[in-house]
Amino acid sequence: MIANPSYTRLTNTMSKNITLTLTQVHDLAQSALQAQGFSAAQAGAIAATITKAERDECKSHGLFRVPFYVKALANPETDASAQPQLSSLAGSVVRVDAKHGFCPLALQTGLPALADKAREQGIAALAINNAYNIAALWPEVEELAEQGLVAMAFTCANAYVAPAGGTKPVFGTNPMAFSWPRHNRPPLVFDQASSASARGEIQLHLRDGHQLPEGWAIDAEGNPTTDPQAALDGAQLPFGGYKGSAIALMVELLAGALIGDLFSFESSERDIHGSGAPFGGEFVLAINPAQLQQPGSDQEGYLSHAETLFERILQQEGTRLPGDRRFAARQVTASRGVEIPQQLHETIQEYI
Ligand code: NDP
């Protein structure tokens, strides 16, 4: 039976949680998606990103997303069995046509080729086209940094965010992610929406019956609001006013026009079935730092040099490095498992 994945307010049921191991998280996501018509390959790739998100306590991209993936199938253009196609466009550019499937499998297909090209050429780009993308971006840049590469990733979404000074949505929440490799420890990674909050955070506030912090959104009349439903019906705000608006604009151009794909407002206009899944491109850059060092210098000196910056930051009380919260969480969840709302568990089991 297909449960309704709309963002209804859950009241006292939210107080009940259940604990799952990470293996159970993966199996639950994979079984639910396959039962709803996803191929084993598409479901497996999505389940892997969902499991990473639960492992790192990024709840807005964990099992909470399963109903969004299922709802994406409301759009008859979606192909839940698509087999992404990899091609080489130039010495340092690869493309994956996701063929109307979902981004996780397209990334699995393209990242090894991107990493190879970056190691050979010093810098390489991956253009993913024709993909539904409702995932976080840190898994891809983290994977590249674990191989010694510096990486950046960008994607558009649907039109949710008003440009600075405006009141109507034009931009997506348009995340960008960055990673830097480190010796014998997880990479430095940040991954942030260019809006004041990710849309998933607003959906979680709605689900849990919480008001939003001020500055996240305006209602349909353009007035500031802390009501999550009014925010979803109105427009989200860019972070930092015109500065976040400029980042969102850059992401539109990089993940849209630059790689021949859709802007967020075009994705929204295509979504005539209201599936809510953004459709378009993702742009990923990978850089081999060893090939950018000055002649005669220590070819790995950039790693120790970067550590001096991180140490200088961390000398100050109250600081931490981006990514450290996730890495700390994964130390705990590997043995303790993760907690999810019982209601969410029941919803997902109804798919099977
Ligand atoms: P957050 O604001 O929660 O975090 C952004 C970044 O800042 C993270 O890397 C986080 O690290 C870091 N950070 C947070 N607090 C601190 C601190 N005190 N000191 C140093 N660093 C800090 O993320 P967003 O809400 O902006 O985005 C959430 C997710 O939503 C992202 O993964 C993004 O990719 C995804 N998203 C996906 C979209 C899509 O269409 N596919 C659209 C929009 C967003 P840490 O993780 O360690 O907390």
Side-chain angles (χ1 to χ4, degrees), residues 145-146 148-150 179-183 187-188 289 302-303 307 310:
E146 280 166 350
L149 301 168
V150 174
S179 63
W180 179 269
R182 303 179 74 185
H183 255 322
L188 174 119
Y302 58 89
L303 290 173
E307 293 303 320
F310 304 151

Side-chain angles (χ1 to χ4, degrees), residues 56-58 60-61 65 103 132-140 155-158 160 172-178 189-201 216 236 239 278 282 313 318-328:
D56 289 7
E57 291 187 346
C58 297
S60 60
H61 291 85
R65 282 281 149 195
C103 216
Y132 293 91
N133 193 344
I134 46 182
L137 303 187
W138 53 261
E140 43 267 41
T155 193
C156 304
N158 279 339
Y160 303 132
T173 42
N174 295 6
M176 59 177 283
F178 171 84
V189 178
F190 77 72
D191 177 15
Q192 59 193 36
S194 47
S195 46
S197 76
R199 196 161 188 84
E201 289 299 327
W216 279 20
Q236 292 179 242
F239 78 83
E282 178 170 336
I313 294 167
T319 62
R320 71 169 174 89
L321 296 180
D324 282 357
R325 179 197 61 78
R326 288 192 301 103
F327 298 129

